[in-house]
Amino acid sequence: MTQRRTLIVMRHAKAEPFAPSDHARALTDRGRSEATAAGEHLAAAGLRPDHVVVSSASRTVETWDVMAQVADCDVQATVDEALYHGNPDAVLESLRLSPEDASVVLFVGHNPTASYLCHLLDDGEGEAVALEGLLHGFPTGALAVFEVAQPWSDLAYESGRLVGFFAR
């Protein structure tokens, strides 16, 4: 029997427009509210990640920190510098390194990469309501939930079934 896995792709919550560097931009009050809502949503849906990969930008790390606190999830995120400027291929490469025993993996990153990744992962057989949400855009704090049947090491385009979408 194939282990069913869940991949959650998230765009970081709303960040301040200016900081000493783009990398250092922190979440705004709205961003902390979006991250809180996303964490509450994951907890209510029973989706507690056992592996988390985030870009090295302050806003992605802070998004996960707020979510983890709200969802009472003590997973230490893997912070990957390559995901800050990375394209969907770089994200896939990082996700393929997820532990094989991980059942729920969360990626927190940036647009347009996060949105592109969702469209590229989609196998076209997902839930219509989730797809409709995704097609209306991928705002800050949004997350898409995919079921994945193959091992993480085999994650590829068109290998995920979109089963959920959340945006505050």
Side-chain angles (χ1 to χ4, degrees):
M1 181 170 168
T2 303
Q3 176 186 350
R4 186 58 75 186
R5 294 170 175 82
T6 302
L7 173 63
I8 304 163
V9 176
M10 181 176 187
R11 180 180 178 190
H12 65 78
K14 185 70 174 173
E16 61 190 356
F18 303 104
S21 71
D22 182 68
H23 204 263
R25 291 171 45 214
L27 295 184
T28 62
D29 289 343
R30 175 180 146 195
R32 283 185 287 284
S33 178
E34 289 173 347
T36 296
E40 290 170 345
H41 174 78
L42 291 182
L47 294 171
R48 293 184 191 249
D50 41 22
H51 183 69
V52 178
V53 179
V54 302
S55 149
S56 60
S58 296
R59 58 194 176 273
T60 58
V61 173
E62 190 178 352
T63 295
W64 169 242
D65 288 346
V66 170
M67 290 174 61
Q69 184 176 9
V70 169
D72 194 28
C73 186
D74 62 357
V75 172
Q76 183 69 33
T78 299
V79 178
D80 190 337
E81 179 72 32
L83 302 181
Y84 176 64
H85 290 294
N87 61 24
D89 289 326
V91 176
L92 269 182
E93 188 175 312
S94 183
L95 292 172
R96 287 182 187 127
L97 299 175
S98 298
E100 285 305 323
D101 63 346
S103 59
V104 179
V105 172
L106 170 68
F107 161 67
V108 182
H110 309 273
N111 250 7
T113 301
S115 177
Y116 291 168
L117 180 64
C118 289
H119 291 286
L120 292 167
L121 284 171
D122 184 24
D123 68 0
E125 301 293 325
E127 294 182 13
V129 172
L131 180 58
E132 182 179 341
L134 184 60
L135 291 175
H136 280 98
F138 208 62
T140 56
L143 53 89
V145 180
F146 293 88
E147 285 183 353
V148 177
Q150 69 276 1
W152 295 117
S153 58
D154 295 335
L155 189 65
Y157 296 142
E158 299 181 4
S159 66
R161 176 158 297 147
L162 182 64
V163 296
F165 180 80
F166 173 81
R168 186 162 178 254

